[in-house]
């Protein structure tokens, strides 16, 4: 069957879905005598030993049936297959979309740039692994023959947010498991205070820097590179012996004597999808070892495989995406909160902000036609329980209903804990998760309007035993695939980001001294 790219509001299944607005009350469902059965049945396996629970979502079997119809009419699995089999799905930039190939082969061999792309990605992963092993053994060392102890990634956007979030997610795990090799730091903001703070926190002679720029021309990244090279030179160190590059083979950073080594990516992996490429691979392999990065890829591959299943109850990313469309386009909810009850995931919501909003923050379809319905939601989040003492007030009693995505684990990463008032810290953390789910769903009646909670606020729960490299990979792939499926439903191109470019162009105009009018007036306010 030929693939047809149609706007959401032209689909008969969507019209049927619209008739189900408000059809299910979570308050009623989770207060019913058989609520425990619902919680058990609406819990489906993910990759990496995780599970996706949607019992507190505003869905029932009738809504799920129509969502399944929407999936089929939108040809979501066929479009995913087209993507991983190498069709040009990124129509805006006329490019393939191949981040799934960095962790496994889902379909046919994909040939581009004169070779098999899976082989290319595996080759680069092997080169990175060999390099990391040589650094850890001391075979690659500083000018004094001493081991490097710190790695610093220089990049911005997808070259920073994803890798930083993944590093922080695994840092304590690696220390506990004995796989921690090198401390990692990150420089991203062109604000000189960012680079200054990082440089002051490290031992320069024992630090290795990773410059990440696909094009080799990213202004903020090259500016920070110069900042770091200047610091190295002032310390009497040769920057070429302290810096590697992750870039494309056609960039000015490739095959360049100014770098100790260079590892390659291509135009088929967008920055926000690059954590499983060399962009994340270099820093994670240096920090934790290549075997840990391999486990991370294994978890992502498991979730990708599940994402090919046509049964929405056996495809957690697809189901999560479809429920999100129902919430955005039928229920009319404008935003989503991601709430990880794990300090290790402290920067995971920040990564998802870019992944989701840069991908699906579009108002025209794949062909440039204006869209008459809502697309990507505003996404935000913080780790629990911190968020409970911050923005949960609005979530519980504000005028907007905000769908929630909780993430929680039975065990912590370090094994450290203490028992106070008959329960451990970890149990208190878990108790807060379950309490919040029920509080949002069921609310609380009270004659005092200030203490009344309406409830019926939907949430999902991704849960597992412990956050590990494998479960982290599955978690990342889940959200990548969720965003992809939603983009297909909305008929937008989730793989370009023209909205990022305009500001860059105007910034160059300012720096060239050619600004005029209001732009010039604003530059004067900042003394540029």
């Amino acid at each position: 069957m030929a693939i047809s790219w149609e706007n959401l509001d032209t689909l008969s299944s969507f019209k049927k879905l619209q008739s189900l607005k408000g059809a299910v009350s979570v308050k009623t469902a989770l207060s019913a005598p058989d609520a425990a059965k619902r919680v058990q049945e609406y819990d489906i396996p993910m990759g990496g030993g995780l599970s996706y629970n949607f019992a507190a979502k505003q869905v029932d079997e009738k809504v799920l049936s129509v969502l399944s119809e929407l999936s089929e009419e939108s040809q979501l699995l066929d479009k995913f297959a087209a993507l991983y089999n190498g069709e040009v799905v990124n129509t805006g930039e006329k490019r393939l979309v191949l981040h799934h190939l960095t962790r496994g082969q889902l379909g046919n061999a994909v040939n581009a740039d004169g070779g098999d792309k899976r082989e290319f990605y595996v080759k680069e992963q092997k080169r990175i692994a060999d390099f990391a092993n040589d650094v850890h053994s001391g075979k690659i060392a500083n000018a004094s023959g001493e081991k490097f102890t710190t790695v610093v990634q220089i990049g911005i956007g997808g070259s920073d947010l994803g890798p930083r979030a993944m590093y922080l997610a695994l840092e304590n795990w690696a220390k506990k498991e004995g796989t921690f090799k090198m401390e990692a730091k990150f420089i991203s903001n062109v604000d000189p205070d960012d680079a200054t703070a990082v440089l002051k926190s490290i031992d320069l002679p024992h630090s290795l820097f990773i410059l990440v720029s696909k094009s080799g021309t990213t202004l903020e990244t090259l500016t920070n590179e110069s900042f770091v090279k200047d610091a190295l030179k002032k310390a009497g160190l040769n920057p070429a012996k302290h810096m590697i590059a992750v870039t494309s083979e056609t960039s000015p950073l490739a095959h360049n004597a100014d770098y100790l080594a260079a590892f390659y990516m291509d135009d088929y992996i967008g920055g926000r999808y690059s954590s499983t490429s060399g962009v994340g691979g270099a820093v994670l392999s240096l920090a934790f070892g290549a075997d840990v990065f391999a486990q991370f890829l294994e978890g992502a591959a498991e979730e990708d495989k599940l994402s090919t299943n046509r049964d929405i109850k056996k495809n957690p990313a697809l189901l999560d995406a479809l429920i999100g469309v129902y919430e955005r386009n039928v229920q009319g909810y404008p935003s989503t909160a991601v709430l990880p009850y794990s300090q290790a995931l402290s920067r995971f919501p920040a990564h998802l902000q870019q992944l989701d909003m840069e991908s699906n923050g579009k108002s025209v379809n794949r062909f440039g036609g204006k869209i008459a319905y809502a697309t990507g939601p505003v996404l935000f989040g913080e780790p629990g329980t911190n968020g409970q003492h911050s923005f949960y007030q609005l979530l519980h009693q504000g005028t907007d209903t905000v769908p929630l995505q909780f993430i929680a684990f039975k065990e912590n990463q370090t094994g450290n804990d203490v028992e106070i008032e008959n329960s451990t810290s970890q149990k208190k953390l878990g108790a807060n998760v379950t309490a919040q789910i029920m509080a949002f769903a069921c609310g609380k009646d009270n004659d005092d309007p200030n203490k009344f909670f309406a409830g019926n606020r939907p949430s999902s729960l991704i849960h597992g035993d412990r956050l590990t490299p494998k479960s982290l990979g599955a978690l990342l792939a889940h959200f990548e695939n969720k965003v992809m499926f939603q983009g297909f439903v909305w008929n937008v191109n989730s793989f370009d980001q023209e909205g990022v470019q305009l500001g860059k162009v105007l910034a160059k105009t300012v720096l060239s001294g050619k600004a005029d009018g209001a732009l010039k007036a604003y530059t004067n306010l900042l003394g540029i």
Side-chain angles (χ1 to χ4, degrees):
M1 184 194 308
I3 290 177
S4 178
W5 300 91
E6 304 292 340
N7 282 4
L8 174 63
D9 55 6
T10 67
L11 304 179
S12 60
S13 55
F14 177 61
K15 293 178 174 60
K16 188 183 295 187
L17 191 64
Q18 288 177 304
S19 71
L20 297 177
K21 181 175 182 178
V24 179
S25 166
V26 177
K27 184 173 185 176
T28 300
L30 291 188
S31 300
D34 62 347
K37 181 180 179 183
R38 177 183 171 95
V39 173
Q40 293 168 352
E41 291 183 349
Y42 282 11
D43 194 81
I44 60 176
M46 293 172 54
L50 299 175
S51 295
Y52 172 69
N53 191 292
F54 58 102
K57 287 294 191 181
Q58 294 164 323
V59 299
D60 59 10
E61 292 305 310
K62 185 173 182 180
V63 174
L64 292 171
S65 177
V66 178
L67 290 177
S68 183
E69 290 179 31
L70 178 61
S71 176
E72 290 299 325
E73 189 177 5
S74 298
Q75 299 177 292
L76 300 186
L77 273 299
D78 300 311
K79 289 170 182 175
F80 185 26
L83 181 151
Y84 61 69
N85 282 319
E87 292 190 24
V88 179
V89 174
N90 180 354
T91 50
E93 297 171 324
K94 297 179 175 58
R95 292 175 181 167
L96 311 179
V97 177
L98 300 182
H99 55 276
H100 298 91
L101 264 185
T102 62
R103 54 247 196 175
Q105 187 88 44
L106 286 171
N108 303 329
V110 177
N111 290 287
D113 304 330
D116 183 298
K117 296 308 296 183
R118 174 62 183 157
E119 290 181 3
F120 169 76
Y121 298 139
V122 171
K123 175 186 174 184
E124 290 306 306
Q125 288 164 7
K126 177 68 164 56
R127 291 182 61 230
I128 289 171
D130 290 344
F131 181 84
N133 290 336
D134 286 345
V135 170
H136 298 152
S137 70
K139 183 177 180 180
I140 295 176
N142 69 7
S144 301
E146 299 164 334
K147 287 185 178 182
F148 291 110
T149 57
T150 302
V151 56
V152 182
Q153 180 128 318
I154 307 170
I156 197 165
S159 300
D160 168 73
L161 287 165
R164 188 194 296 249
M166 301 308 122
Y167 170 77
L168 292 174
L170 296 178
E171 182 180 15
N172 282 330
W173 176 90
K175 289 176 178 177
K176 171 66 175 176
E177 298 300 320
T179 67
F180 188 81
K181 307 291 185 182
M182 302 171 70
E183 183 180 25
K185 301 278 189 173
F186 297 83
I187 298 173
S188 59
N189 200 332
V190 76
D191 183 341
D193 288 346
D194 186 16
T196 299
V198 172
L199 291 173
K200 284 186 175 181
S201 72
I202 62 176
D203 177 10
L204 269 179
H206 299 92
S207 296
L208 185 65
F209 296 84
I210 308 173
L211 185 71
V212 184
S213 175
K214 182 162 45 179
S215 66
T217 61
T218 309
L219 179 62
E220 295 96 332
T221 301
L222 295 184
T223 300
N224 280 326
E225 178 195 21
S226 296
F227 201 103
V228 168
K229 283 184 172 179
D230 183 63
L232 288 166
K233 290 174 184 176
K234 287 178 179 176
L237 302 169
N238 180 0
K241 300 299 182 183
H242 284 261
M243 192 168 287
I244 67 174
V246 177
T247 189
S248 68
E249 289 191 87
T250 57
S251 93
L253 309 180
H255 312 290
N256 188 323
D258 289 341
Y259 304 96
L260 193 59
F263 304 102
Y264 302 117
M265 52 180 166
D266 54 39
D267 284 336
Y268 312 127
I269 300 176
R272 57 195 177 278
Y273 297 97
S274 65
S275 291
T276 54
S277 75
V279 174
V283 66
L284 296 178
S285 295
L286 284 164
F288 308 130
D291 288 345
V292 171
F293 184 63
Q295 293 169 42
F296 174 64
L297 296 181
E298 184 182 352
E302 279 189 12
E303 184 66 15
D304 287 343
K305 182 66 176 175
L306 286 176
S307 296
T308 65
N309 197 314
R310 288 192 175 274
D311 184 345
I312 66 171
K313 286 189 177 181
K314 296 179 180 178
N315 187 331
L318 177 60
L319 179 57
D320 197 0
L322 290 165
I323 292 174
V325 170
Y326 175 64
E327 291 173 335
R328 186 77 175 104
N329 298 104
V330 177
Q331 298 292 84
Y333 304 147
S335 57
T336 297
V338 177
L339 310 170
Y341 277 65
S342 167
Q343 187 60 29
L345 294 174
S346 61
R347 291 297 289 169
F348 193 66
H351 168 59
L352 295 187
Q353 285 173 2
Q354 185 197 17
L355 173 65
D356 202 311
M357 293 195 283
E358 193 169 88
S359 294
N360 291 337
K362 310 289 173 65
S363 57
V364 297
N365 67 17
R366 298 168 59 80
F367 310 106
K370 189 71 177 174
I371 288 174
Y373 47 83
T375 58
V378 173
L379 189 144
F380 66 98
E382 281 288 325
T385 57
N386 296 31
Q388 292 177 201
H389 296 268
S390 174
F391 51 81
Y392 276 39
Q393 169 61 43
L394 182 147
L395 300 182
H396 276 293
Q397 292 182 305
T399 54
D400 281 328
T401 295
V402 179
L404 316 166
Q405 293 202 300
F406 292 97
I407 305 169
F409 303 92
K410 292 178 182 177
E411 304 170 14
N412 63 38
Q413 290 185 314
T414 63
N416 293 330
D417 210 339
V418 63
E419 185 166 314
I420 299 176
E421 296 180 359
N422 300 318
S423 65
T424 63
S425 299
Q426 185 66 29
K427 287 184 178 179
K428 288 180 174 67
L429 183 68
N432 273 277
V433 179
T434 57
Q436 289 295 332
I437 292 172
M438 291 301 293
F440 280 116
C442 298
K444 183 181 179 182
D445 292 331
N446 197 297
D447 292 336
D448 181 348
N450 197 48
K451 296 181 180 181
F452 173 80
F453 294 78
N456 200 31
R457 307 214 167 194
S459 67
S460 63
L461 171 65
I462 292 175
H463 62 100
D465 289 338
R466 187 176 180 224
L467 183 61
T468 65
K470 193 172 179 181
S471 62
L472 179 66
L475 187 67
L476 176 70
H478 173 90
F479 283 101
E480 289 180 348
N481 294 338
K482 172 188 176 179
V483 167
M484 172 193 69
F485 285 130
Q486 288 184 328
F488 290 160
V489 174
W490 288 321
N491 198 27
V492 298
N493 179 10
S494 301
F495 306 105
D496 65 4
Q497 55 283 328
E498 292 301 323
V500 178
Q501 307 304 324
L502 178 58
K504 292 182 180 180
V505 173
L506 290 176
K508 289 181 179 179
T509 300
V510 170
L511 293 172
S512 72
K514 296 179 181 179
D516 57 15
L519 182 60
K520 176 63 174 175
Y522 276 114
T523 64
N524 291 340
L525 292 178
L526 294 179
I528 301 170

